[in-house]
Amino acid sequence: MKRSALFLLLPLLLTFTAQAQLTVKAEYIGQSAYRDDDTDKKISNYKGSSVIYQADLNIPLSVKMNPDGLPRLWAIHSGAAYARLDNRNFREDLVTDEIFDLYLGLLNITPFSKKWVIVTSAGIGIYSPTTRFSRITRKQVLANAAVLFICQIRPNLQIGGGLAINNTFGYPMAFPALYLKWSAEGRWNADINMSNGFMASGGYHFTDNFSLNLVLEMSGQVAFLQKDGKDMMFSHQYMVSGFRPQFKLGKHVSIPLTAGVNAMRIAAYNKRTLKAMFVSTEPGGYFGVAPYFSAGLSVGF
């Protein structure tokens, strides 16, 4: 099984409108056994669950329309995530207990034709195994930058690509970045979004204020730390699927609730090297199937 933390380090690129928006979400992943990567067998009686809190805030600074009627946008994006891992019966230092990620960045969206836009972003993030700022080191602070070219192929389909740059390994390095957003609206609806992690959903709008969707999502957090005198990264990634009823209160408030299954939750250390971003370099494992619940709130203002 390969473990990659690369997508966890990319800032949110193009998922907000010209209005300020605050989104918060609390997630619970139930208890399951910890399994070995290679043998897929349970490791002793190790078990664990997790609670994750996430928040994102988008604040437009300037919105101007070009001659084609398309907006040129400058905005601030900030995001935070806190994951608490309730690890039980672990006798070895195989997993950490908490992760704290924080990001602040500036984003620009500029159209240069009726179909093409260029998206640029730059910011700074903290990826730490503790919420105590006094214990955060410079090696846990990363600079991020990205540039993407995105094409509006159809009114409901955007595809793009470019480069993302960060100093994960102590020096600037560029990685490929992909973007995909597709939707089908109506009573029946479907969405696929690869702007930050992965999300796919499909469902039915019963009324203007209530919809029910089947969702598949991949998300996670990452922390940088030292272990046995070595620079390491701890990846916490999870894939969930389930049913999501969503309630809308007016035009600017929505409340999504999700109940389903966490198919797999990766929680393991790797060396802070380029190879480890794509292939496991340390012994480790993952938590098996577990129940999943989440509740969120999105407010536009």
Side-chain angles (χ1 to χ4, degrees):
M1 183 187 305
K2 295 184 179 181
R3 300 190 291 266
S4 172
L6 178 58
F7 82 92
L8 302 178
L9 304 178
L10 301 180
L12 193 67
L13 292 174
L14 189 61
T15 61
F16 59 91
T17 63
Q19 69 172 178
Q21 187 170 24
L22 172 66
T23 302
V24 295
K25 182 167 69 170
E27 302 172 273
Y28 171 73
I29 301 175
Q31 183 173 280
S32 60
Y34 194 67
R35 296 178 175 273
D36 183 83
D37 262 353
D38 298 323
T39 64
D40 200 33
K41 295 182 180 179
K42 295 181 181 179
I43 303 178
S44 187
N45 62 338
Y46 300 166
K47 298 178 181 179
S49 60
S50 183
V51 177
I52 305 105
Y53 303 96
Q54 300 191 61
D56 290 285
L57 176 63
N58 301 315
I59 304 176
L61 299 176
S62 173
V63 181
K64 295 181 179 180
M65 308 303 289
N66 71 359
D68 293 322
L70 300 174
R72 178 178 180 179
L73 174 70
W74 285 94
I76 290 176
H77 169 70
S78 60
Y82 174 76
R84 179 70 186 177
L85 281 67
D86 182 14
N87 306 311
R88 301 182 181 182
N89 307 320
F90 277 74
R91 300 176 183 175
E92 304 171 33
D93 189 16
L94 289 178
V95 295
T96 189
D97 293 327
E98 60 180 354
I99 299 173
F100 175 60
D101 293 347
L102 181 66
Y103 178 80
L104 177 65
L106 180 67
L107 180 143
N108 174 254
I109 301 175
T110 301
F112 58 90
S113 75
K114 291 184 178 181
K115 286 190 174 183
W116 285 91
V117 299
I118 181 171
V119 180
T120 55
S121 68
I124 190 168
I126 296 172
Y127 304 90
S128 169
T130 177
T131 57
R132 298 181 183 179
F133 282 90
S134 61
R135 297 177 60 182
I136 294 174
T137 69
R138 62 177 180 82
K139 290 187 177 181
Q140 293 161 350
V141 178
L142 267 66
N144 292 279
V147 55
L148 281 86
F149 295 89
I150 298 175
C151 181
Q152 185 86 44
I153 296 179
R154 296 178 181 176
N156 64 339
L157 175 62
Q158 297 174 336
I159 296 178
L163 292 176
I165 303 171
N166 61 53
N167 60 325
T168 301
F169 309 117
Y171 49 86
M173 189 165 182
F175 303 92
L178 299 176
Y179 178 89
L180 170 65
K181 188 173 183 180
W182 174 82
S183 63
E185 293 297 332
R187 283 297 183 186
W188 291 97
N189 66 91
D191 288 278
I192 298 176
N193 196 321
M194 289 177 58
S195 61
N196 188 38
F198 174 83
M199 188 279 290
S201 69
Y204 187 75
H205 286 287
F206 289 89
T207 69
D208 292 340
N209 298 318
F210 175 73
S211 62
L212 180 63
N213 293 285
L214 178 64
V215 298
L216 174 64
E217 293 181 338
M218 179 177 286
S219 186
Q221 301 78 40
V222 65
F224 296 117
L225 67 165
Q226 278 208 334
K227 182 183 177 186
D228 301 327
K230 300 178 181 178
D231 289 334
M232 306 287 285
M233 58 184 175
F234 181 82
S235 299
H236 181 237
Q237 298 172 243
Y238 46 97
M239 179 180 292
V240 300
S241 61
F243 289 97
R244 175 170 297 166
Q246 181 163 298
F247 304 88
K248 287 189 176 182
L249 307 178
K251 295 182 178 181
H252 304 300
V253 179
S254 63
I255 302 174
L257 307 174
T258 307
V261 174
N262 166 54
M264 176 172 50
R265 181 165 65 95
I266 297 170
Y269 289 96
N270 262 323
K271 293 179 181 177
R272 198 169 171 179
T273 63
L274 180 60
K275 179 181 179 181
M277 296 295 287
F278 304 97
V279 181
S280 304
T281 60
E282 296 291 312
Y286 66 96
F287 293 97
V289 177
Y292 173 88
F293 303 96
S294 73
L297 173 67
S298 180
V299 181
F301 50 91

